[in-house]
Amino acid sequence: VDPFNTLNPFLIWLSIVLVLSISFAGYIAMKIFGTGRGLALTGLFGGLASSTGVAISMAENVRRNKRILYPAAFAVIIASSTMFLRMIVVSSIFNFEVGLRLLLPMFIFAFTGYLLSLKSWKKILKEKTVLSIGSPLSLKPALKFGILFTIILFVSNLAKNYFGPTGLYLIALIAGLVEVDAITISYSSLALSQASSSLVAVNGIL
């Protein structure tokens, strides 16, 4: 719908629905199993829904109670590791080739994270850790994601045309500090065009 042939309303809406669906699946899983069955499930399901949400929630819990430092660290590491596996699924839905290329490195990242979590696991205390990520279908975060995704998609297309891969990598470096799903979906979608290499998209996502 724009002069640069970049913004596709259907694609933007599809990305919002996809992210909300994954968050909702993680939310339902946590409601069914609860956090009482172990921090592994807490971090695992939290990473499926929102690894950032887990990090914020755990940091807030530790601020109120220093004794749960190691359990909280464990949950954050597990959630962040699960995020890498989620990125494989998300990228594959929009571009199977990109998802296939991400398979090995993302599995390595996730496996490394799970190994590192063992250090915190050995120091975990017996206090229960409560995870709260809010409503997975909240409209405000969904709209924020949609706006961020649209901006990244638009700017990334301009960067690709005028600056090549270097511009895409710079945008990924900055935007990745805020939201990895937006970058994953944007670059997977851009790689569908002939002008954009799937290898560049994979490197940008990594």
Side-chain angles (χ1 to χ4, degrees):
V1 295
D2 62 292
F4 300 97
N5 196 31
T6 301
L7 304 181
N8 184 330
F10 176 77
L11 180 64
I12 295 171
W13 180 245
L14 179 63
S15 67
I16 295 175
V17 172
L18 175 65
V19 172
L20 284 176
S21 298
I22 293 176
S23 296
F24 189 64
Y27 180 82
I28 291 298
M30 282 187 286
K31 285 295 184 180
I32 293 175
F33 295 101
T35 58
R37 289 197 174 188
L39 289 168
L41 288 178
T42 300
L44 204 61
F45 294 141
L48 181 63
S50 173
S51 55
T52 303
V54 174
I56 293 174
S57 177
M58 291 299 108
E60 182 64 23
N61 286 338
V62 171
R63 189 179 67 82
R64 293 194 299 262
N65 184 2
K66 303 293 184 183
R67 294 183 301 170
I68 65 168
L69 173 61
Y70 290 113
F74 178 80
V76 172
I77 295 173
I78 289 293
S80 300
S81 302
T82 303
M83 173 195 68
F84 294 120
L85 301 180
R86 185 186 72 206
M87 290 172 70
I88 297 176
V89 176
V90 171
S91 59
S92 297
I93 291 175
F94 284 85
N95 190 323
F96 184 75
E97 183 182 356
V98 171
L100 196 61
R101 290 189 178 215
L102 286 172
L103 199 59
L104 180 59
M106 289 301 181
F107 263 114
I108 293 175
F109 292 160
F111 181 71
T112 302
Y114 291 142
L115 281 181
L116 291 174
S117 68
L118 294 177
K119 184 177 181 181
S120 294
W121 175 261
K122 294 177 181 179
K123 299 179 180 180
I124 281 182
L125 304 177
K126 293 183 179 180
E127 285 83 357
K128 291 183 178 180
T129 303
V130 179
L131 174 65
S132 176
I133 61 169
S135 171
L137 299 180
S138 178
L139 186 59
K140 188 175 181 180
L143 291 178
K144 284 184 177 180
F145 172 82
I147 294 173
L148 181 62
F149 170 71
T150 303
I151 293 174
I152 292 176
L153 189 65
F154 182 74
V155 175
S156 297
N157 189 68
L158 293 181
K160 178 191 69 177
N161 293 332
Y162 292 100
F163 301 103
T166 304
L168 289 176
Y169 296 154
L170 181 60
I171 292 172
L173 184 65
I174 297 173
L177 295 171
V178 181
E179 174 60 62
V180 294
D181 285 330
I183 280 291
T184 302
I185 297 175
S186 298
Y187 283 25
S188 296
S189 302
L190 285 174
L192 291 173
S193 65
Q194 296 180 355
S196 180
S197 169
S198 61
L199 181 60
V200 174
V202 169
N203 289 338
I205 293 172
L206 288 174

